[in-house]
Amino acid sequence: MIIVMKPDATKKDIDHVLERIESVGLKGVLLQGTSRNVIAVIGDERVVPADFWDVLPGVEKSVPILAPYKLASKEGKDFKTVIHLGNGKKIGGEQIAVIAGPCAIESKEQIVEIAKRVRDAGATALRGGAFKPRSNPYTFQGLQEEGLVHLARAREASGLPIVTEVLTPEHVKLVSKYSDILQVGTRNMQNFLLLRAVGEAGKPVILKRGMSATIEEFLLAAEYILAQNNPNVILCERGIRTFETFTRFTLSLSIVPQLKEMTHLPIIVDPSHGTGKRSLVNPMCKGAVAVGADGLLVETHPDPERSFVDGPQTINLEAFECLMQELKPVAEAVGRRM
Ligand code: PEP
Ligand code: MN
């Protein structure tokens, strides 16, 4: 259920409602809007009569939320979530956010060079993996904390906010010390302890869709983070497993307009992992923007052939620059900008 506060409700009214919610053993999450505030009530609401909330000072009405993902649902919040990154950049605004960088951080020189080049081409943020979730335990596992230090150095050199994956709840503190945005990978989408931990860390989180997750499971995973009072969740479609093996995964672009009907959270698309093929990255980026994605995640490397990880799906810096130019008319055609 959500409690819609009157436009002139005071902070005291809001605090009072939050206290009442807690006093009956439920949890209240305040969703601040531009014209009014709403409070989501989480837990078994049957502990109080349905009209219990409507008579509290400052309350306009209470509305049941039918979806199981209460905080992610548009039923509770009908305006888009916009995530503000430190440098004035946003994810979920009119401008398409582009997160670019290598699959893995390989050296300080590599990540600093990429950072400057993708920034000059118009990227919003820099990505790079330091803790790599590799299917094969004998392959490169990432530079770990040394990689985070290089990534932070690349932020200093470029001014771009940084994104990196966190693999375990134990690493959340360490990764948060360096990274502006935490990424939860496809293999961890239903690692509920990790979801809680990144929720508590309070930093924006990119939540990648589990490769076999349904849309409802995806939104319920986001709900774990939101329920920790962390409203800054970015959903990322990165391809799912189907019978088709010609591409590495099947990039499900229809999820973008579908999610827009269901949630206020921003949605970005990762055509690099979604296809596994360099030649498909540019057209699928255009497709993603055309269907309403708020952003893109693109693996980019100066020499993809020599990339330690995911070379076949990685584009080079020239191709990235070209992509950014070619996306402009597509974004404009759907009322967005690069
Ligand atoms: C990545 O972004 O480098 C990554 C490992 O992604 P995913 O979790 O989608 O495979
Ligand atoms: Mn990768």
Side-chain angles (χ1 to χ4, degrees):
M1 180 179 41
I2 56 153
I3 299 173
V4 181
M5 301 301 292
K6 289 180 178 156
D8 60 356
T10 61
K11 179 164 183 312
K12 199 169 151 221
D13 295 335
I14 293 171
D15 288 343
H16 180 61
V17 174
L18 288 168
E19 273 165 35
R20 296 300 286 134
I21 293 170
E22 266 188 42
S23 73
V24 293
L26 299 171
K27 184 171 171 182
V29 178
L30 178 64
L31 307 168
Q32 283 173 313
T34 41
S35 60
R36 67 177 69 214
N37 294 309
V38 301
I39 298 169
V41 182
I42 304 166
D44 186 353
E45 297 150 11
R46 289 169 302 179
V47 292
V48 290
D51 57 358
F52 180 82
W53 310 105
D54 298 349
V55 295
L56 297 179
V59 171
E60 187 167 291
K61 59 180 175 182
S62 59
V63 189
I65 298 182
L66 300 175
Y69 38 87
K70 311 264 176 228
L71 296 169
S73 171
K74 264 175 105 170
E75 288 176 76
K77 184 179 173 200
D78 60 4
F79 48 91
K80 279 182 73 172
T81 290
V82 178
I83 289 158
H84 296 265
L85 305 178
N87 61 348
K89 308 227 177 192
K90 296 179 210 162
I91 302 180
E94 186 193 336
Q95 189 170 14
I96 304 294
V98 182
I99 300 162
C103 185
I105 301 152
E106 297 168 7
S107 68
K108 185 174 85 186
E109 293 67 33
Q110 173 239 26
I111 194 73
V112 168
E113 179 197 353
I114 296 173
K116 291 183 182 161
R117 289 283 295 274
V118 299
R119 174 203 58 199
D120 292 347
T124 312
L126 174 71
R127 63 148 283 145
F131 292 92
K132 293 305 304 173
R134 305 303 304 283
S135 301
N136 180 341
Y138 305 119
T139 54
F140 179 61
Q141 303 286 309
L143 293 180
Q144 317 218 343
E145 186 164 5
E146 186 194 341
L148 297 175
V149 174
H150 297 331
L151 192 59
R153 181 74 197 83
R155 169 179 49 207
E156 256 172 59
S158 66
L160 289 179
I162 55 180
V163 180
T164 198
E165 178 163 354
V166 56
L167 285 184
T168 68
E170 294 72 38
H171 284 146
V172 169
K173 202 164 158 212
L174 173 71
V175 177
S176 302
K177 193 171 113 191
Y178 294 96
S179 194
D180 301 296
I181 303 178
L182 305 177
Q183 178 173 310
V184 174
T186 190
R187 293 161 186 83
N188 264 323
M189 189 206 80
Q190 284 187 315
N191 180 339
F192 302 117
L193 295 179
L194 179 62
L195 298 176
R196 285 217 178 93
V198 295
E200 280 168 13
K203 296 230 168 173
V205 178
I206 293 181
L207 177 65
K208 297 190 102 179
R209 180 184 186 180
M211 60 181 84
S212 303
T214 63
I215 293 181
E216 184 162 306
E217 286 164 341
F218 192 15
L219 288 172
L220 284 168
E223 192 77 10
Y224 268 87
I225 303 169
L226 298 169
Q228 299 306 311
N229 272 325
N230 183 345
N232 296 320
V233 178
I234 302 133
L235 301 171
C236 179
E237 161 62 31
R238 51 77 68 209
I240 51 174
R241 275 269 151 83
T242 66
F243 60 86
E244 180 58 83
T245 53
F246 206 79
T247 49
R248 186 177 177 193
F249 293 95
T250 297
L251 188 66
S252 169
L253 280 189
S254 61
I255 199 178
V256 176
Q258 178 61 67
L259 282 171
K260 295 272 166 191
E261 289 178 11
M262 300 163 85
T263 181
H264 51 83
L265 296 172
I267 301 140
I268 66 171
V269 173
D270 168 2
S272 307
H273 295 88
T275 65
K277 283 190 176 167
R278 189 177 304 146
S279 65
L280 302 182
V281 170
N282 175 308
M284 295 315 282
C285 280
K286 290 173 181 159
V289 171
V291 296
D294 296 297
L296 300 165
L297 197 150
V298 185
E299 286 191 337
T300 314
H301 188 284
D303 187 358
E305 308 265 295
R306 291 204 170 75
S307 175
F308 289 7
V309 189
D310 283 350
Q313 67 195 33
T314 300
I315 61 171
N316 67 27
L317 294 162
E318 291 72 31
F320 180 73
E321 286 156 1
C322 176
L323 170 68
M324 291 299 281
Q325 290 305 318
E326 290 181 10
L327 283 169
K328 282 184 182 168
V330 184
E332 274 163 32
V334 291
R336 306 292 286 266
R337 65 189 166 81
M338 294 305 298

